[in-house]
Amino acid sequence: MPMNIAIDGPVGAGKSSIADQVAQRLHILHLDTGAMYRSVTLFALRNGLFNADGSVKADDLKEMLPQVNVSFKLNAATGLPETYLNGEMVERDIRGMEVSSHVSPIAAIPFVREALVAQQKAMGNEKGVVMDGRDIGTVVFPDAELKIFVTASPEVRAKRRYDELQAKGQPADYDDILKNVQQRDYIDTHREVSPLRQAEDAIVLDNSH
Ligand code: DC
C-alpha cells in the first residue's frame, strides 16, 4: 500500500534534495510546498501586491488568489518536478533572492495557508506522495506513515543556498543569504498560523554534515 511521507524543517536543511531522491527511488510524486508559497509570492510581486515597506496588500491578494493556479510537472529529461504558475514554468524565478526575501509575509497570511493546505491535502488524498515543507507532519498530513524533521546549522544552510545559486549562475552574496536564512527561521517559527515545529512522532535528521 502506498504511503505518504512528510518532510519538514527550516530553510536550506536539504528537504527538497532528500524528497527528490526518495520520490525517484520509490516512484512516487514529490510535492514541494515551499514552491507553492513561492509561486504565490511571485504572483504578488508581478501584480504590485506589496507595499513599499514589504507588507502585503492582503485585501487585493485575497481577491486575486482564485486566479492563482500552481501545478507541478515532471521534467522528463532531468526526472525532477518543475513548478508552473498559471501554465508558465517558473522554477528559476521562484528560487531567486527577490522571491526569497518576500515569501515569509505571504506564508504567514491565514487565507493563503488555508487555500494551499487544502490543495496539498487533495494532492495527498490518493496516497503515495512525499511532501516537504514546514507544516506537513503537523497540519497537512498529521497521519503520514513517515515523518522526518530535517535540521542543519544556519551557516551550513546558508552556504548550501549560496552554492546552489552560484551553480545556477544567479547572483549571490553569502552574508545576505545568511541574514535571509535567519530572518526566515525567525518568522517561520514565530508566526501565529502553523509555525514550523517538529511533529511529536517525527524522526529528527541532523543534515549538517
Ligand atoms: O522551503 P522554501 O524555502 O522553499 O519555503 C519558502 C517559504 O515558504 C519559507 O519561508 C516558509 C514557507 N513555507 C511554509 O510556510 N509552509 C510550507 N509548508 C512550506 C514553505
Side-chain angles (χ1 to χ4, degrees):
M1 156 137 161
M3 60 176 183
N4 283 338
I5 302 174
I7 302 183
D8 290 301
V11 52
K15 301 182 296 293
S16 256
S17 307
I18 294 172
D20 274 334
Q21 291 180 43
V22 168
Q24 285 182 334
R25 297 243 191 132
L26 300 184
H27 304 287
I28 59 178
L29 214 62
H30 166 203
L31 292 166
D32 172 358
T33 61
M36 298 173 76
Y37 291 96
R38 286 171 178 275
S39 297
V40 173
T41 305
L42 181 64
F43 177 88
L45 283 166
R46 285 178 174 176
N47 288 280
L49 301 181
F50 281 96
N51 295 306
D53 66 358
S55 61
V56 183
K57 297 177 184 170
D59 290 344
D60 295 342
L61 178 62
K62 192 169 193 173
E63 204 170 297
M64 294 177 84
L65 199 59
Q67 298 171 31
V68 183
N69 178 19
V70 184
S71 58
F72 298 96
K73 274 187 215 154
L74 208 63
N75 178 322
T78 62
L80 297 174
E82 288 175 339
T83 312
Y84 285 75
L85 169 61
N86 294 336
E88 175 195 350
M89 209 280 276
V90 292
E91 201 49 48
R92 188 185 162 89
D93 299 79
I94 60 170
R95 307 290 169 192
M97 276 307 276
E98 178 151 52
V99 166
S100 295
S101 58
H102 286 85
V103 65
S104 280
I106 292 280
I109 299 174
F111 67 79
V112 171
R113 301 203 69 84
E114 226 168 83
L116 295 186
V117 166
Q119 285 183 31
Q120 291 153 12
K121 286 189 172 183
M123 288 167 171
N125 257 346
E126 305 293 313
K127 289 275 175 188
V129 302
V130 50
M131 195 173 279
D132 77 294
R134 304 292 188 286
D135 58 345
I136 311 306
T138 52
V139 175
V140 181
F141 296 149
D143 297 327
E145 283 80 358
L146 176 63
K147 300 179 186 179
I148 301 173
F149 192 87
V150 190
T151 63
S153 73
E155 289 75 17
V156 167
R157 294 187 279 123
K159 177 71 168 54
R160 283 195 194 135
R161 274 282 139 122
Y162 174 81
D163 290 344
E164 231 173 72
L165 289 171
Q166 285 258 303
K168 288 183 191 158
Q170 293 196 31
D173 178 87
Y174 173 79
D175 293 328
D176 283 351
I177 294 174
L178 180 59
K179 223 184 291 163
N180 177 255
V181 163
Q182 288 165 334
Q183 273 168 357
R184 280 205 281 157
D185 279 356
Y186 186 85
I187 301 178
D188 290 349
T189 48
H190 287 79
R191 69 172 174 232
E192 242 165 71
V193 196
S194 299
L196 168 67
R197 67 182 173 83
Q198 187 191 317
E200 267 168 33
D201 50 351
I203 296 167
V204 179
L205 189 93
D206 187 332
N207 198 24
S208 295
H209 306 288

